[in-house]
mmCIF file of all heavy atoms in Angstrom:
data_model
loop_
_atom_site.group_PDB
_atom_site.id
_atom_site.type_symbol
_atom_site.label_atom_id
_atom_site.label_comp_id
_atom_site.label_asym_id
_atom_site.label_seq_id
_atom_site.Cartn_x
_atom_site.Cartn_y
_atom_site.Cartn_z
ATOM 1 N N GLY A 608 166.657 145.415 131.538
ATOM 2 C CA GLY A 608 167.037 144.334 130.626
ATOM 3 C C GLY A 608 166.701 144.582 129.170
ATOM 4 O O GLY A 608 167.408 144.138 128.264
ATOM 5 N N GLY A 609 165.593 145.247 128.931
ATOM 6 C CA GLY A 609 165.249 145.618 127.561
ATOM 7 C C GLY A 609 164.744 144.489 126.693
ATOM 8 O O GLY A 609 164.886 144.542 125.472
ATOM 9 N N THR A 610 164.092 143.480 127.304
ATOM 10 C CA THR A 610 163.569 142.404 126.446
ATOM 11 C C THR A 610 162.410 142.910 125.588
ATOM 12 O O THR A 610 162.222 142.436 124.462
ATOM 13 C CB THR A 610 163.115 141.177 127.266
ATOM 14 O OG1 THR A 610 162.034 141.544 128.109
ATOM 15 C CG2 THR A 610 164.254 140.610 128.085
ATOM 16 N N ASN A 611 161.650 143.872 126.105
ATOM 17 C CA ASN A 611 160.574 144.441 125.282
ATOM 18 C C ASN A 611 161.148 145.297 124.155
ATOM 19 O O ASN A 611 160.625 145.293 123.046
ATOM 20 C CB ASN A 611 159.597 145.247 126.143
ATOM 21 C CG ASN A 611 158.605 144.348 126.854
ATOM 22 O OD1 ASN A 611 157.702 143.789 126.235
ATOM 23 N ND2 ASN A 611 158.799 144.160 128.155
ATOM 24 N N ILE A 706 153.821 149.327 128.524
ATOM 25 C CA ILE A 706 153.503 147.904 128.713
ATOM 26 C C ILE A 706 153.563 147.632 130.214
ATOM 27 O O ILE A 706 154.530 148.005 130.885
ATOM 28 C CB ILE A 706 154.461 146.973 127.918
ATOM 29 C CG1 ILE A 706 154.145 145.491 128.144
ATOM 30 C CG2 ILE A 706 155.924 147.260 128.196
ATOM 31 C CD1 ILE A 706 152.998 144.970 127.356
ATOM 32 N N HIS A 707 152.502 146.996 130.726
ATOM 33 C CA HIS A 707 152.432 146.702 132.168
ATOM 34 C C HIS A 707 152.210 145.194 132.350
ATOM 35 O O HIS A 707 151.352 144.604 131.674
ATOM 36 C CB HIS A 707 151.303 147.491 132.824
ATOM 37 C CG HIS A 707 151.263 147.277 134.305
ATOM 38 N ND1 HIS A 707 152.136 147.910 135.178
ATOM 39 C CD2 HIS A 707 150.501 146.454 135.054
ATOM 40 C CE1 HIS A 707 151.899 147.475 136.401
ATOM 41 N NE2 HIS A 707 150.910 146.603 136.361
ATOM 42 N N PRO A 708 152.946 144.567 133.290
ATOM 43 C CA PRO A 708 152.883 143.097 133.390
ATOM 44 C C PRO A 708 151.751 142.547 134.259
ATOM 45 O O PRO A 708 151.974 141.692 135.110
ATOM 46 C CB PRO A 708 154.256 142.754 133.970
ATOM 47 C CG PRO A 708 154.597 143.922 134.819
ATOM 48 C CD PRO A 708 153.978 145.131 134.160
ATOM 49 N N TYR A 720 155.455 147.506 139.914
ATOM 50 C CA TYR A 720 156.307 147.542 138.721
ATOM 51 C C TYR A 720 157.254 146.342 138.755
ATOM 52 O O TYR A 720 157.560 145.797 139.820
ATOM 53 C CB TYR A 720 157.110 148.860 138.660
ATOM 54 C CG TYR A 720 157.980 149.085 139.869
ATOM 55 C CD1 TYR A 720 159.280 148.584 139.929
ATOM 56 C CD2 TYR A 720 157.493 149.771 140.979
ATOM 57 C CE1 TYR A 720 160.069 148.758 141.054
ATOM 58 C CE2 TYR A 720 158.269 149.946 142.107
ATOM 59 C CZ TYR A 720 159.556 149.453 142.135
ATOM 60 O OH TYR A 720 160.322 149.624 143.256
ATOM 61 N N GLY A 721 157.661 145.925 137.546
ATOM 62 C CA GLY A 721 158.629 144.834 137.423
ATOM 63 C C GLY A 721 158.210 143.589 138.185
ATOM 64 O O GLY A 721 157.034 143.190 138.185
ATOM 65 N N MET A 774 156.115 137.600 130.019
ATOM 66 C CA MET A 774 156.843 138.283 128.932
ATOM 67 C C MET A 774 156.692 137.510 127.626
ATOM 68 O O MET A 774 156.299 138.068 126.607
ATOM 69 C CB MET A 774 158.328 138.397 129.278
ATOM 70 C CG MET A 774 158.639 139.469 130.296
ATOM 71 S SD MET A 774 160.396 139.376 130.733
ATOM 72 C CE MET A 774 160.653 141.015 131.398
ATOM 73 N N GLU A 778 153.674 139.970 126.810
ATOM 74 C CA GLU A 778 154.290 141.277 126.536
ATOM 75 C C GLU A 778 154.941 141.365 125.159
ATOM 76 O O GLU A 778 154.718 142.322 124.414
ATOM 77 C CB GLU A 778 155.348 141.586 127.601
ATOM 78 C CG GLU A 778 154.764 141.731 128.987
ATOM 79 C CD GLU A 778 155.797 142.161 130.020
ATOM 80 O OE1 GLU A 778 156.628 143.032 129.734
ATOM 81 O OE2 GLU A 778 155.768 141.603 131.134
HETATM 82 C C1 GAR B 2347 158.479 144.279 131.921
HETATM 83 O O1 GAR B 2347 157.911 143.142 132.533
HETATM 84 C C2 GAR B 2347 157.480 145.412 131.872
HETATM 85 O O2 GAR B 2347 156.169 144.980 131.641
HETATM 86 C C3 GAR B 2347 157.624 145.985 133.251
HETATM 87 O O3 GAR B 2347 159.006 145.963 133.499
HETATM 88 C C4 GAR B 2347 159.591 144.848 132.795
HETATM 89 C C5 GAR B 2347 160.757 145.344 131.981
HETATM 90 O O4 GAR B 2347 161.423 144.292 131.351
HETATM 91 N N1 GAR B 2347 157.067 147.297 133.341
HETATM 92 C C6 GAR B 2347 156.415 147.752 134.408
HETATM 93 O O5 GAR B 2347 156.334 147.120 135.448
HETATM 94 C C7 GAR B 2347 155.826 149.147 134.257
HETATM 95 N N2 GAR B 2347 154.933 149.428 135.349
HETATM 96 P P1 GAR B 2347 162.364 144.515 130.094
HETATM 97 O O6 GAR B 2347 163.347 145.631 130.470
HETATM 98 O O7 GAR B 2347 163.057 143.206 129.895
HETATM 99 O O8 GAR B 2347 161.505 144.905 128.919
#
Side-chain angles (χ1 to χ4, degrees):
T610 64
N611 280 288
I706 179 80
H707 184 78
Y720 58 88
M774 284 174 160
E778 296 185 42

